[in-house]
Amino acid sequence: MKGQWKWPETAKMWQFLGQYKYVLIVIAVGIALLLLPSGGKKRVAEEAGIAGAQEDFNLEELETKLSQTLSQVEGAGQVTVTLTVKSGMEQVLASDRSTSVSGDNSTVDDQTVVLSTGSGEEAVLITKRYPTFQGALVVCQGADNPEIRLLITQAVASLTGLGSDRITVCKGT
């Protein structure tokens, strides 16, 4: 048949599709999920980090919760935890920077980006930087037992991100 074009190696193509059909299905589902709508303006506002719904960092509350949790370690007895932080909680807000140059002088103007809502205006929060811990002091009744001391040190290290060299466990009364 002259003038009719035939797909070259059709059998090899079907063999390829049959061999990788599950991979192709996963890719197709992923593309379909990316094309779905994100859920409206409310979700976009939440993802943008509007400063309205903030959870604050409370050091005393964390120390109390950590003390209560560590008191439940068998053999630890009553536990008191004191944490020190390098700096307080910091919020990074979106800002609009404009620079104006006149002659030899240049002026930089930073303005915080705000989002108008039904109840007023709120600053757009880019990220929150939680405090980094500097050290921990743990006073517990069972600290004379090396096994308990190790367990307490490992627990505090895993919860705070501190190295064991920055955690001191002392025996209490």
Side-chain angles (χ1 to χ4, degrees), residues 18 20 24 37 40-41 106 112 157 169 171:
Y20 295 104
L24 295 173
K41 290 182 181 179
S106 65
T112 302
V169 180
K171 176 155 176 59

PDB file of all heavy atoms in Angstrom, residues 18 20 24 37 40-41 106 112 157 169 171:
ATOM      1  N   GLY A  18       3.287  -2.136  28.426  1.00  0.00           N
ATOM      2  CA  GLY A  18       2.890  -3.216  29.326  1.00  0.00           C
ATOM      3  C   GLY A  18       3.882  -3.403  30.459  1.00  0.00           C
ATOM      4  O   GLY A  18       3.511  -3.683  31.596  1.00  0.00           O
ATOM      5  N   TYR A  20       5.882  -1.057  31.814  1.00  0.00           N
ATOM      6  CA  TYR A  20       5.926   0.103  32.711  1.00  0.00           C
ATOM      7  C   TYR A  20       4.548   0.702  32.971  1.00  0.00           C
ATOM      8  O   TYR A  20       4.438   1.883  33.285  1.00  0.00           O
ATOM      9  CB  TYR A  20       6.856   1.179  32.131  1.00  0.00           C
ATOM     10  CG  TYR A  20       8.290   0.734  32.070  1.00  0.00           C
ATOM     11  CD1 TYR A  20       8.865   0.355  30.875  1.00  0.00           C
ATOM     12  CD2 TYR A  20       9.059   0.686  33.222  1.00  0.00           C
ATOM     13  CE1 TYR A  20      10.185  -0.056  30.814  1.00  0.00           C
ATOM     14  CE2 TYR A  20      10.373   0.272  33.178  1.00  0.00           C
ATOM     15  CZ  TYR A  20      10.938  -0.103  31.971  1.00  0.00           C
ATOM     16  OH  TYR A  20      12.238  -0.502  31.920  1.00  0.00           O
ATOM     17  N   LEU A  24       3.577   4.434  34.771  1.00  0.00           N
ATOM     18  CA  LEU A  24       2.835   5.426  34.000  1.00  0.00           C
ATOM     19  C   LEU A  24       1.523   5.804  34.687  1.00  0.00           C
ATOM     20  O   LEU A  24       1.111   6.965  34.647  1.00  0.00           O
ATOM     21  CB  LEU A  24       2.588   4.904  32.583  1.00  0.00           C
ATOM     22  CG  LEU A  24       3.854   4.707  31.732  1.00  0.00           C
ATOM     23  CD1 LEU A  24       3.508   4.019  30.411  1.00  0.00           C
ATOM     24  CD2 LEU A  24       4.543   6.028  31.484  1.00  0.00           C
ATOM     25  N   PRO A  37      -8.004  21.797  42.226  1.00  0.00           N
ATOM     26  CA  PRO A  37      -7.984  23.103  42.895  1.00  0.00           C
ATOM     27  C   PRO A  37      -7.525  22.954  44.344  1.00  0.00           C
ATOM     28  O   PRO A  37      -7.693  21.920  44.962  1.00  0.00           O
ATOM     29  CB  PRO A  37      -9.432  23.595  42.804  1.00  0.00           C
ATOM     30  CG  PRO A  37     -10.240  22.403  42.470  1.00  0.00           C
ATOM     31  CD  PRO A  37      -9.330  21.398  41.838  1.00  0.00           C
ATOM     32  N   GLY A  40      -9.711  26.985  47.637  1.00  0.00           N
ATOM     33  CA  GLY A  40     -10.266  28.319  47.799  1.00  0.00           C
ATOM     34  C   GLY A  40      -9.359  29.296  48.517  1.00  0.00           C
ATOM     35  O   GLY A  40      -8.246  29.003  48.890  1.00  0.00           O
ATOM     36  N   LYS A  41      -9.906  30.507  48.739  1.00  0.00           N
ATOM     37  CA  LYS A  41      -9.127  31.595  49.319  1.00  0.00           C
ATOM     38  C   LYS A  41      -8.761  31.342  50.763  1.00  0.00           C
ATOM     39  O   LYS A  41      -7.720  31.758  51.218  1.00  0.00           O
ATOM     40  CB  LYS A  41      -9.917  32.898  49.215  1.00  0.00           C
ATOM     41  CG  LYS A  41     -10.045  33.401  47.811  1.00  0.00           C
ATOM     42  CD  LYS A  41     -10.781  34.710  47.787  1.00  0.00           C
ATOM     43  CE  LYS A  41     -10.933  35.219  46.372  1.00  0.00           C
ATOM     44  NZ  LYS A  41     -11.654  36.478  46.337  1.00  0.00           N
ATOM     45  N   SER A 106      20.464  57.648  48.335  1.00  0.00           N
ATOM     46  CA  SER A 106      19.487  56.598  48.035  1.00  0.00           C
ATOM     47  C   SER A 106      18.718  56.290  49.313  1.00  0.00           C
ATOM     48  O   SER A 106      19.282  56.235  50.401  1.00  0.00           O
ATOM     49  CB  SER A 106      20.167  55.345  47.492  1.00  0.00           C
ATOM     50  OG  SER A 106      20.996  54.783  48.474  1.00  0.00           O
ATOM     51  N   THR A 112       5.594  46.614  55.509  1.00  0.00           N
ATOM     52  CA  THR A 112       5.071  45.281  55.760  1.00  0.00           C
ATOM     53  C   THR A 112       3.839  45.053  54.884  1.00  0.00           C
ATOM     54  O   THR A 112       2.978  45.910  54.769  1.00  0.00           O
ATOM     55  CB  THR A 112       4.692  45.128  57.247  1.00  0.00           C
ATOM     56  OG1 THR A 112       5.852  45.386  58.031  1.00  0.00           O
ATOM     57  CG2 THR A 112       4.178  43.747  57.541  1.00  0.00           C
ATOM     58  N   ALA A 157      17.540  15.299  75.059  1.00  0.00           N
ATOM     59  CA  ALA A 157      18.230  15.566  73.795  1.00  0.00           C
ATOM     60  C   ALA A 157      17.295  15.372  72.609  1.00  0.00           C
ATOM     61  O   ALA A 157      17.290  16.185  71.679  1.00  0.00           O
ATOM     62  CB  ALA A 157      19.453  14.650  73.660  1.00  0.00           C
ATOM     63  N   VAL A 169      22.257  16.537  84.283  1.00  0.00           N
ATOM     64  CA  VAL A 169      21.277  15.846  85.108  1.00  0.00           C
ATOM     65  C   VAL A 169      21.863  15.749  86.513  1.00  0.00           C
ATOM     66  O   VAL A 169      22.946  15.184  86.707  1.00  0.00           O
ATOM     67  CB  VAL A 169      20.958  14.436  84.566  1.00  0.00           C
ATOM     68  CG1 VAL A 169      19.930  13.740  85.440  1.00  0.00           C
ATOM     69  CG2 VAL A 169      20.461  14.537  83.136  1.00  0.00           C
ATOM     70  N   LYS A 171      21.131  15.074  90.887  1.00  0.00           N
ATOM     71  CA  LYS A 171      20.270  14.405  91.850  1.00  0.00           C
ATOM     72  C   LYS A 171      19.571  15.448  92.710  1.00  0.00           C
ATOM     73  O   LYS A 171      20.182  16.395  93.182  1.00  0.00           O
ATOM     74  CB  LYS A 171      21.080  13.465  92.734  1.00  0.00           C
ATOM     75  CG  LYS A 171      20.253  12.807  93.819  1.00  0.00           C
ATOM     76  CD  LYS A 171      20.848  11.522  94.266  1.00  0.00           C
ATOM     77  CE  LYS A 171      20.075  10.919  95.418  1.00  0.00           C
ATOM     78  NZ  LYS A 171      18.697  10.638  95.141  1.00  0.00           N
TER      79      LYS A 171
END
